[in-house]
mmCIF file of all heavy atoms in Angstrom:
data_model
loop_
_atom_site.group_PDB
_atom_site.id
_atom_site.type_symbol
_atom_site.label_atom_id
_atom_site.label_comp_id
_atom_site.label_asym_id
_atom_site.label_seq_id
_atom_site.Cartn_x
_atom_site.Cartn_y
_atom_site.Cartn_z
ATOM 1 N N HIS A 1 0.833 -1.211 -0.012
ATOM 2 C CA HIS A 1 0.002 -0.017 0.014
ATOM 3 C C HIS A 1 0.862 1.281 0.022
ATOM 4 O O HIS A 1 0.522 2.255 -0.647
ATOM 5 C CB HIS A 1 -0.952 -0.007 1.178
ATOM 6 C CG HIS A 1 -2.070 -1.014 1.008
ATOM 7 N ND1 HIS A 1 -2.925 -1.399 2.059
ATOM 8 C CD2 HIS A 1 -2.476 -1.700 -0.109
ATOM 9 C CE1 HIS A 1 -3.808 -2.285 1.603
ATOM 10 N NE2 HIS A 1 -3.573 -2.482 0.286
ATOM 11 N N GLU A 2 1.955 1.231 0.729
ATOM 12 C CA GLU A 2 2.859 2.431 0.717
ATOM 13 C C GLU A 2 3.489 2.649 -0.646
ATOM 14 O O GLU A 2 3.641 3.798 -1.107
ATOM 15 C CB GLU A 2 3.910 2.346 1.805
ATOM 16 C CG GLU A 2 3.364 2.492 3.248
ATOM 17 C CD GLU A 2 4.471 2.662 4.239
ATOM 18 O OE1 GLU A 2 5.444 3.369 3.946
ATOM 19 O OE2 GLU A 2 4.389 2.068 5.298
ATOM 20 N N LYS A 3 3.794 1.608 -1.375
ATOM 21 C CA LYS A 3 4.326 1.749 -2.646
ATOM 22 C C LYS A 3 3.293 2.267 -3.620
ATOM 23 O O LYS A 3 3.609 3.084 -4.553
ATOM 24 C CB LYS A 3 4.879 0.391 -3.179
ATOM 25 C CG LYS A 3 6.163 -0.011 -2.441
ATOM 26 C CD LYS A 3 7.079 -0.810 -3.315
ATOM 27 C CE LYS A 3 8.491 -0.845 -2.828
ATOM 28 N NZ LYS A 3 9.427 -1.435 -3.792
ATOM 29 N N LEU A 4 2.042 1.820 -3.474
ATOM 30 C CA LEU A 4 0.971 2.347 -4.342
ATOM 31 C C LEU A 4 0.710 3.824 -4.049
ATOM 32 O O LEU A 4 0.506 4.605 -4.975
ATOM 33 C CB LEU A 4 -0.313 1.528 -4.106
ATOM 34 C CG LEU A 4 -0.287 0.107 -4.649
ATOM 35 C CD1 LEU A 4 -1.499 -0.670 -4.122
ATOM 36 C CD2 LEU A 4 -0.283 0.119 -6.174
ATOM 37 N N LEU A 5 0.749 4.216 -2.764
ATOM 38 C CA LEU A 5 0.581 5.643 -2.416
ATOM 39 C C LEU A 5 1.688 6.488 -3.081
ATOM 40 O O LEU A 5 1.421 7.547 -3.639
ATOM 41 C CB LEU A 5 0.578 5.826 -0.927
ATOM 42 C CG LEU A 5 -0.658 5.429 -0.197
ATOM 43 C CD1 LEU A 5 -0.417 5.443 1.321
ATOM 44 C CD2 LEU A 5 -1.864 6.404 -0.515
ATOM 45 N N ALA A 6 2.951 6.002 -3.069
ATOM 46 C CA ALA A 6 4.022 6.741 -3.627
ATOM 47 C C ALA A 6 3.889 6.910 -5.103
ATOM 48 O O ALA A 6 4.387 7.859 -5.731
ATOM 49 C CB ALA A 6 5.345 6.032 -3.261
ATOM 50 N N ALA A 7 3.214 5.950 -5.743
ATOM 51 C CA ALA A 7 3.021 5.943 -7.182
ATOM 52 C C ALA A 7 1.758 6.773 -7.633
ATOM 53 O O ALA A 7 1.462 6.837 -8.823
ATOM 54 C CB ALA A 7 2.925 4.532 -7.752
ATOM 55 N N GLY A 8 1.041 7.286 -6.650
ATOM 56 C CA GLY A 8 -0.105 8.181 -7.005
ATOM 57 C C GLY A 8 -1.494 7.625 -6.714
ATOM 58 O O GLY A 8 -2.484 8.297 -7.008
ATOM 59 N N ALA A 9 -1.577 6.409 -6.169
ATOM 60 C CA ALA A 9 -2.868 5.826 -5.896
ATOM 61 C C ALA A 9 -3.550 6.572 -4.795
ATOM 62 O O ALA A 9 -2.957 6.759 -3.675
ATOM 63 C CB ALA A 9 -2.729 4.352 -5.580
ATOM 64 N N ASP A 10 -4.846 6.940 -4.993
ATOM 65 C CA ASP A 10 -5.646 7.585 -3.910
ATOM 66 C C ASP A 10 -6.145 6.581 -2.907
ATOM 67 O O ASP A 10 -6.223 6.819 -1.678
ATOM 68 C CB ASP A 10 -6.827 8.374 -4.480
ATOM 69 C CG ASP A 10 -6.353 9.589 -5.307
ATOM 70 O OD1 ASP A 10 -5.310 10.116 -4.945
ATOM 71 O OD2 ASP A 10 -7.040 9.923 -6.303
ATOM 72 N N LYS A 11 -6.506 5.396 -3.435
ATOM 73 C CA LYS A 11 -7.070 4.314 -2.586
ATOM 74 C C LYS A 11 -6.366 3.047 -2.858
ATOM 75 O O LYS A 11 -6.837 2.158 -3.581
ATOM 76 C CB LYS A 11 -8.588 4.194 -2.854
ATOM 77 C CG LYS A 11 -9.403 5.457 -2.498
ATOM 78 C CD LYS A 11 -10.859 5.247 -2.804
ATOM 79 C CE LYS A 11 -11.668 6.510 -2.426
ATOM 80 N NZ LYS A 11 -13.130 6.303 -2.754
ATOM 81 N N PRO A 12 -5.191 2.864 -2.293
ATOM 82 C CA PRO A 12 -4.396 1.662 -2.584
ATOM 83 C C PRO A 12 -5.183 0.371 -2.235
ATOM 84 O O PRO A 12 -4.958 -0.661 -2.830
ATOM 85 C CB PRO A 12 -3.131 1.844 -1.725
ATOM 86 C CG PRO A 12 -3.449 2.880 -0.718
ATOM 87 C CD PRO A 12 -4.500 3.756 -1.369
ATOM 88 N N ALA A 13 -6.000 0.386 -1.182
ATOM 89 C CA ALA A 13 -6.678 -0.855 -0.745
ATOM 90 C C ALA A 13 -7.719 -1.207 -1.798
ATOM 91 O O ALA A 13 -8.228 -2.375 -1.810
ATOM 92 C CB ALA A 13 -7.367 -0.615 0.604
ATOM 93 N N PHE A 14 -8.100 -0.261 -2.715
ATOM 94 C CA PHE A 14 -9.008 -0.660 -3.739
ATOM 95 C C PHE A 14 -8.283 -1.331 -4.909
ATOM 96 O O PHE A 14 -8.807 -2.262 -5.518
ATOM 97 C CB PHE A 14 -9.758 0.590 -4.322
ATOM 98 C CG PHE A 14 -10.625 0.295 -5.489
ATOM 99 C CD1 PHE A 14 -11.808 -0.450 -5.343
ATOM 100 C CD2 PHE A 14 -10.263 0.704 -6.781
ATOM 101 C CE1 PHE A 14 -12.620 -0.747 -6.436
ATOM 102 C CE2 PHE A 14 -11.089 0.444 -7.848
ATOM 103 C CZ PHE A 14 -12.247 -0.309 -7.678
ATOM 104 N N VAL A 15 -7.031 -0.852 -5.170
ATOM 105 C CA VAL A 15 -6.221 -1.518 -6.242
ATOM 106 C C VAL A 15 -5.757 -2.887 -5.797
ATOM 107 O O VAL A 15 -5.967 -3.891 -6.564
ATOM 108 C CB VAL A 15 -5.029 -0.661 -6.514
ATOM 109 C CG1 VAL A 15 -4.186 -1.260 -7.690
ATOM 110 C CG2 VAL A 15 -5.432 0.765 -6.950
ATOM 111 N N PHE A 16 -5.208 -2.986 -4.606
ATOM 112 C CA PHE A 16 -4.791 -4.299 -4.055
ATOM 113 C C PHE A 16 -5.500 -4.474 -2.690
ATOM 114 O O PHE A 16 -4.999 -3.985 -1.679
ATOM 115 C CB PHE A 16 -3.301 -4.324 -3.892
ATOM 116 C CG PHE A 16 -2.465 -4.552 -5.122
ATOM 117 C CD1 PHE A 16 -2.110 -3.585 -5.956
ATOM 118 C CD2 PHE A 16 -2.030 -5.884 -5.392
ATOM 119 C CE1 PHE A 16 -1.423 -3.771 -7.131
ATOM 120 C CE2 PHE A 16 -1.272 -6.137 -6.533
ATOM 121 C CZ PHE A 16 -0.975 -5.076 -7.441
ATOM 122 N N PRO A 17 -6.662 -5.074 -2.675
ATOM 123 C CA PRO A 17 -7.343 -5.292 -1.454
ATOM 124 C C PRO A 17 -6.537 -6.059 -0.377
ATOM 125 O O PRO A 17 -5.539 -6.748 -0.742
ATOM 126 C CB PRO A 17 -8.601 -6.100 -1.859
ATOM 127 C CG PRO A 17 -8.776 -5.811 -3.334
ATOM 128 C CD PRO A 17 -7.379 -5.646 -3.860
ATOM 129 N N HIS A 18 -6.922 -5.996 0.832
ATOM 130 C CA HIS A 18 -6.182 -6.665 1.910
ATOM 131 C C HIS A 18 -5.994 -8.153 1.660
ATOM 132 O O HIS A 18 -4.913 -8.732 1.825
ATOM 133 C CB HIS A 18 -6.838 -6.480 3.249
ATOM 134 C CG HIS A 18 -6.726 -5.022 3.724
ATOM 135 N ND1 HIS A 18 -7.235 -4.620 4.956
ATOM 136 C CD2 HIS A 18 -6.101 -3.974 3.191
ATOM 137 C CE1 HIS A 18 -6.924 -3.328 5.134
ATOM 138 N NE2 HIS A 18 -6.250 -2.933 4.081
ATOM 139 N N ALA A 19 -7.083 -8.818 1.175
ATOM 140 C CA ALA A 19 -7.032 -10.266 0.918
ATOM 141 C C ALA A 19 -6.030 -10.561 -0.249
ATOM 142 O O ALA A 19 -5.312 -11.570 -0.178
ATOM 143 C CB ALA A 19 -8.429 -10.803 0.550
ATOM 144 N N LEU A 20 -5.966 -9.650 -1.188
ATOM 145 C CA LEU A 20 -5.011 -9.865 -2.320
ATOM 146 C C LEU A 20 -3.575 -9.603 -1.799
ATOM 147 O O LEU A 20 -2.679 -10.346 -2.192
ATOM 148 C CB LEU A 20 -5.364 -8.859 -3.387
ATOM 149 C CG LEU A 20 -4.796 -9.082 -4.835
ATOM 150 C CD1 LEU A 20 -3.366 -8.687 -4.944
ATOM 151 C CD2 LEU A 20 -5.008 -10.563 -5.299
ATOM 152 N N CYS A 21 -3.433 -8.665 -0.910
ATOM 153 C CA CYS A 21 -2.089 -8.489 -0.335
ATOM 154 C C CYS A 21 -1.655 -9.727 0.464
ATOM 155 O O CYS A 21 -0.401 -10.070 0.435
ATOM 156 C CB CYS A 21 -2.072 -7.260 0.654
ATOM 157 S SG CYS A 21 -2.239 -5.683 -0.243
ATOM 158 N N ASP A 22 -2.596 -10.377 1.127
ATOM 159 C CA ASP A 22 -2.252 -11.602 1.833
ATOM 160 C C ASP A 22 -1.798 -12.677 0.858
ATOM 161 O O ASP A 22 -0.876 -13.434 1.196
ATOM 162 C CB ASP A 22 -3.433 -12.117 2.643
ATOM 163 C CG ASP A 22 -3.793 -11.167 3.798
ATOM 164 O OD1 ASP A 22 -2.942 -10.277 4.149
ATOM 165 O OD2 ASP A 22 -4.858 -11.281 4.379
ATOM 166 N N GLU A 23 -2.396 -12.691 -0.312
ATOM 167 C CA GLU A 23 -1.972 -13.701 -1.350
ATOM 168 C C GLU A 23 -0.594 -13.327 -1.860
ATOM 169 O O GLU A 23 0.254 -14.225 -2.150
ATOM 170 C CB GLU A 23 -2.983 -13.722 -2.477
ATOM 171 C CG GLU A 23 -4.220 -14.491 -2.147
ATOM 172 C CD GLU A 23 -4.917 -15.081 -3.412
ATOM 173 O OE1 GLU A 23 -4.156 -15.673 -4.231
ATOM 174 O OE2 GLU A 23 -6.103 -14.933 -3.522
ATOM 175 N N LEU A 24 -0.331 -12.043 -2.028
ATOM 176 C CA LEU A 24 1.032 -11.605 -2.508
ATOM 177 C C LEU A 24 2.075 -12.026 -1.494
ATOM 178 O O LEU A 24 3.186 -12.470 -1.827
ATOM 179 C CB LEU A 24 1.056 -10.076 -2.729
ATOM 180 C CG LEU A 24 0.232 -9.586 -3.896
ATOM 181 C CD1 LEU A 24 0.274 -8.073 -3.933
ATOM 182 C CD2 LEU A 24 0.825 -10.054 -5.208
ATOM 183 N N TRP A 25 1.760 -11.851 -0.236
ATOM 184 C CA TRP A 25 2.657 -12.237 0.849
ATOM 185 C C TRP A 25 2.932 -13.743 0.802
ATOM 186 O O TRP A 25 4.108 -14.183 0.914
ATOM 187 C CB TRP A 25 2.044 -11.851 2.209
ATOM 188 C CG TRP A 25 2.801 -12.427 3.402
ATOM 189 C CD1 TRP A 25 4.026 -11.979 3.894
ATOM 190 C CD2 TRP A 25 2.418 -13.521 4.154
ATOM 191 N NE1 TRP A 25 4.369 -12.766 4.930
ATOM 192 C CE2 TRP A 25 3.438 -13.710 5.153
ATOM 193 C CE3 TRP A 25 1.344 -14.415 4.145
ATOM 194 C CZ2 TRP A 25 3.396 -14.708 6.087
ATOM 195 C CZ3 TRP A 25 1.279 -15.360 5.125
ATOM 196 C CH2 TRP A 25 2.289 -15.561 6.072
ATOM 197 N N GLU A 26 1.893 -14.509 0.677
ATOM 198 C CA GLU A 26 2.098 -15.975 0.616
ATOM 199 C C GLU A 26 2.864 -16.388 -0.625
ATOM 200 O O GLU A 26 3.736 -17.241 -0.519
ATOM 201 C CB GLU A 26 0.711 -16.695 0.648
ATOM 202 C CG GLU A 26 0.819 -18.178 0.703
ATOM 203 C CD GLU A 26 -0.591 -18.844 0.791
ATOM 204 O OE1 GLU A 26 -1.575 -18.110 0.981
ATOM 205 O OE2 GLU A 26 -0.654 -20.071 0.670
ATOM 206 N N ALA A 27 2.541 -15.780 -1.768
ATOM 207 C CA ALA A 27 3.238 -16.170 -3.023
ATOM 208 C C ALA A 27 4.708 -15.780 -2.993
ATOM 209 O O ALA A 27 5.547 -16.448 -3.574
ATOM 210 C CB ALA A 27 2.515 -15.532 -4.188
ATOM 211 N N SER A 28 5.029 -14.699 -2.327
ATOM 212 C CA SER A 28 6.417 -14.207 -2.332
ATOM 213 C C SER A 28 7.236 -14.698 -1.138
ATOM 214 O O SER A 28 8.448 -14.491 -1.100
ATOM 215 C CB SER A 28 6.438 -12.663 -2.236
ATOM 216 O OG SER A 28 5.889 -12.214 -1.039
ATOM 217 N N GLY A 29 6.563 -15.352 -0.198
ATOM 218 C CA GLY A 29 7.310 -15.767 1.009
ATOM 219 C C GLY A 29 7.684 -14.606 1.915
ATOM 220 O O GLY A 29 8.453 -14.776 2.832
ATOM 221 N N GLY A 30 7.186 -13.431 1.598
ATOM 222 C CA GLY A 30 7.498 -12.215 2.349
ATOM 223 C C GLY A 30 8.822 -11.517 1.911
ATOM 224 O O GLY A 30 9.188 -10.532 2.528
ATOM 225 N N TRP A 31 9.458 -12.009 0.863
ATOM 226 C CA TRP A 31 10.684 -11.368 0.344
ATOM 227 C C TRP A 31 10.310 -10.193 -0.528
ATOM 228 O O TRP A 31 9.584 -10.388 -1.502
ATOM 229 C CB TRP A 31 11.493 -12.424 -0.407
ATOM 230 C CG TRP A 31 11.996 -13.537 0.380
ATOM 231 C CD1 TRP A 31 11.674 -14.863 0.209
ATOM 232 C CD2 TRP A 31 12.896 -13.485 1.522
ATOM 233 N NE1 TRP A 31 12.314 -15.643 1.174
ATOM 234 C CE2 TRP A 31 13.090 -14.796 1.957
ATOM 235 C CE3 TRP A 31 13.583 -12.453 2.164
ATOM 236 C CZ2 TRP A 31 13.916 -15.119 3.046
ATOM 237 C CZ3 TRP A 31 14.363 -12.744 3.237
ATOM 238 C CH2 TRP A 31 14.556 -14.093 3.663
ATOM 239 N N PRO A 32 10.778 -9.042 -0.219
ATOM 240 C CA PRO A 32 10.312 -7.831 -0.941
ATOM 241 C C PRO A 32 10.592 -7.803 -2.449
ATOM 242 O O PRO A 32 9.723 -7.393 -3.233
ATOM 243 C CB PRO A 32 11.048 -6.707 -0.233
ATOM 244 C CG PRO A 32 12.164 -7.275 0.480
ATOM 245 C CD PRO A 32 11.745 -8.701 0.837
ATOM 246 N N GLY A 33 11.765 -8.302 -2.844
ATOM 247 C CA GLY A 33 12.045 -8.278 -4.260
ATOM 248 C C GLY A 33 11.128 -9.199 -5.045
ATOM 249 O O GLY A 33 10.738 -8.882 -6.219
ATOM 250 N N ILE A 34 10.828 -10.323 -4.472
ATOM 251 C CA ILE A 34 9.929 -11.281 -5.153
ATOM 252 C C ILE A 34 8.525 -10.705 -5.153
ATOM 253 O O ILE A 34 7.779 -10.785 -6.218
ATOM 254 C CB ILE A 34 9.962 -12.660 -4.433
ATOM 255 C CG1 ILE A 34 11.409 -13.241 -4.536
ATOM 256 C CG2 ILE A 34 8.953 -13.625 -5.095
ATOM 257 C CD1 ILE A 34 11.540 -14.505 -3.758
ATOM 258 N N LEU A 35 8.076 -10.075 -4.029
ATOM 259 C CA LEU A 35 6.774 -9.508 -3.954
ATOM 260 C C LEU A 35 6.615 -8.372 -5.052
ATOM 261 O O LEU A 35 5.564 -8.306 -5.704
ATOM 262 C CB LEU A 35 6.528 -8.932 -2.563
ATOM 263 C CG LEU A 35 5.093 -8.495 -2.288
ATOM 264 C CD1 LEU A 35 4.752 -8.605 -0.785
ATOM 265 C CD2 LEU A 35 4.799 -7.067 -2.734
ATOM 266 N N ASP A 36 7.650 -7.577 -5.236
ATOM 267 C CA ASP A 36 7.613 -6.555 -6.272
ATOM 268 C C ASP A 36 7.307 -7.182 -7.673
ATOM 269 O O ASP A 36 6.508 -6.626 -8.405
ATOM 270 C CB ASP A 36 8.943 -5.812 -6.352
ATOM 271 C CG ASP A 36 9.105 -4.798 -5.221
ATOM 272 O OD1 ASP A 36 8.079 -4.368 -4.674
ATOM 273 O OD2 ASP A 36 10.226 -4.406 -4.949
ATOM 274 N N ARG A 37 8.021 -8.244 -7.974
ATOM 275 C CA ARG A 37 7.863 -8.841 -9.289
ATOM 276 C C ARG A 37 6.436 -9.435 -9.496
ATOM 277 O O ARG A 37 5.848 -9.364 -10.532
ATOM 278 C CB ARG A 37 8.957 -9.839 -9.537
ATOM 279 C CG ARG A 37 10.291 -9.201 -9.865
ATOM 280 C CD ARG A 37 11.463 -10.060 -9.601
ATOM 281 N NE ARG A 37 12.729 -9.478 -10.092
ATOM 282 C CZ ARG A 37 13.303 -8.461 -9.514
ATOM 283 N NH1 ARG A 37 12.835 -7.941 -8.394
ATOM 284 N NH2 ARG A 37 14.422 -7.958 -10.045
ATOM 285 N N ILE A 38 5.975 -10.122 -8.467
ATOM 286 C CA ILE A 38 4.606 -10.753 -8.502
ATOM 287 C C ILE A 38 3.539 -9.640 -8.652
ATOM 288 O O ILE A 38 2.613 -9.760 -9.473
ATOM 289 C CB ILE A 38 4.383 -11.615 -7.285
ATOM 290 C CG1 ILE A 38 5.348 -12.760 -7.260
ATOM 291 C CG2 ILE A 38 2.982 -12.137 -7.307
ATOM 292 C CD1 ILE A 38 5.296 -13.591 -5.935
ATOM 293 N N ALA A 39 3.692 -8.560 -7.881
ATOM 294 C CA ALA A 39 2.742 -7.441 -7.929
ATOM 295 C C ALA A 39 2.777 -6.751 -9.255
ATOM 296 O O ALA A 39 1.691 -6.409 -9.818
ATOM 297 C CB ALA A 39 2.971 -6.500 -6.786
ATOM 298 N N LEU A 40 4.007 -6.541 -9.753
ATOM 299 C CA LEU A 40 4.053 -5.892 -11.109
ATOM 300 C C LEU A 40 3.393 -6.761 -12.197
ATOM 301 O O LEU A 40 2.675 -6.208 -13.070
ATOM 302 C CB LEU A 40 5.566 -5.670 -11.411
ATOM 303 C CG LEU A 40 5.946 -4.941 -12.690
ATOM 304 C CD1 LEU A 40 7.275 -4.239 -12.530
ATOM 305 C CD2 LEU A 40 6.025 -5.885 -13.915
ATOM 306 N N LEU A 41 3.616 -8.031 -12.150
ATOM 307 C CA LEU A 41 3.008 -8.913 -13.107
ATOM 308 C C LEU A 41 1.509 -8.969 -12.965
ATOM 309 O O LEU A 41 0.758 -8.956 -13.989
ATOM 310 C CB LEU A 41 3.602 -10.341 -12.986
ATOM 311 C CG LEU A 41 3.167 -11.383 -14.039
ATOM 312 C CD1 LEU A 41 3.518 -10.934 -15.428
ATOM 313 C CD2 LEU A 41 3.851 -12.742 -13.687
ATOM 314 N N ALA A 42 1.048 -9.059 -11.756
ATOM 315 C CA ALA A 42 -0.430 -9.062 -11.472
ATOM 316 C C ALA A 42 -1.105 -7.786 -12.056
ATOM 317 O O ALA A 42 -2.182 -7.820 -12.632
ATOM 318 C CB ALA A 42 -0.700 -9.201 -10.067
ATOM 319 N N LEU A 43 -0.421 -6.660 -11.811
ATOM 320 C CA LEU A 43 -0.943 -5.339 -12.276
ATOM 321 C C LEU A 43 -0.948 -5.300 -13.794
ATOM 322 O O LEU A 43 -1.922 -4.810 -14.418
ATOM 323 C CB LEU A 43 -0.083 -4.233 -11.757
ATOM 324 C CG LEU A 43 -0.525 -2.783 -11.949
ATOM 325 C CD1 LEU A 43 -1.915 -2.533 -11.257
ATOM 326 C CD2 LEU A 43 0.435 -1.821 -11.331
ATOM 327 N N ALA A 44 0.056 -5.857 -14.460
ATOM 328 C CA ALA A 44 0.113 -5.865 -15.932
ATOM 329 C C ALA A 44 -0.931 -6.771 -16.546
ATOM 330 O O ALA A 44 -1.444 -6.540 -17.631
ATOM 331 C CB ALA A 44 1.495 -6.299 -16.358
ATOM 332 N N LYS A 45 -1.230 -7.929 -15.864
ATOM 333 C CA LYS A 45 -2.259 -8.893 -16.418
ATOM 334 C C LYS A 45 -3.671 -8.453 -16.204
ATOM 335 O O LYS A 45 -4.509 -8.886 -16.945
ATOM 336 C CB LYS A 45 -1.988 -10.210 -15.757
ATOM 337 C CG LYS A 45 -0.700 -10.880 -16.113
ATOM 338 C CD LYS A 45 -0.345 -12.072 -15.235
ATOM 339 C CE LYS A 45 -1.440 -13.126 -15.259
ATOM 340 N NZ LYS A 45 -1.075 -14.339 -14.455
ATOM 341 N N ALA A 46 -3.907 -7.562 -15.225
ATOM 342 C CA ALA A 46 -5.313 -7.204 -14.917
ATOM 343 C C ALA A 46 -5.883 -6.342 -15.997
ATOM 344 O O ALA A 46 -5.239 -5.542 -16.633
ATOM 345 C CB ALA A 46 -5.311 -6.469 -13.552
#
């Protein structure tokens, strides 16, 4: 959410809801660099 805010999102929880963030956490294992790549790909595919 902080990264989305820095990129200009008014409502980051609408772009990536809390449940979706939990999935990103699980998919990345909590590693920030992996999470960045998964989130970038998810945003591009949507």
Side-chain angles (χ1 to χ4, degrees):
H1 288 167
E2 286 192 42
K3 289 211 162 190
L4 289 169
L5 283 170
D10 292 330
K11 298 179 179 179
F14 176 69
V15 182
F16 281 83
H18 288 181
L20 197 282
C21 290
D22 291 346
E23 284 207 45
L24 291 174
W25 169 76
E26 184 177 350
S28 66
W31 298 116
I34 299 176
L35 191 152
D36 283 341
R37 284 159 172 74
I38 296 173
L40 184 151
L41 184 59
L43 189 60
K45 290 167 59 177

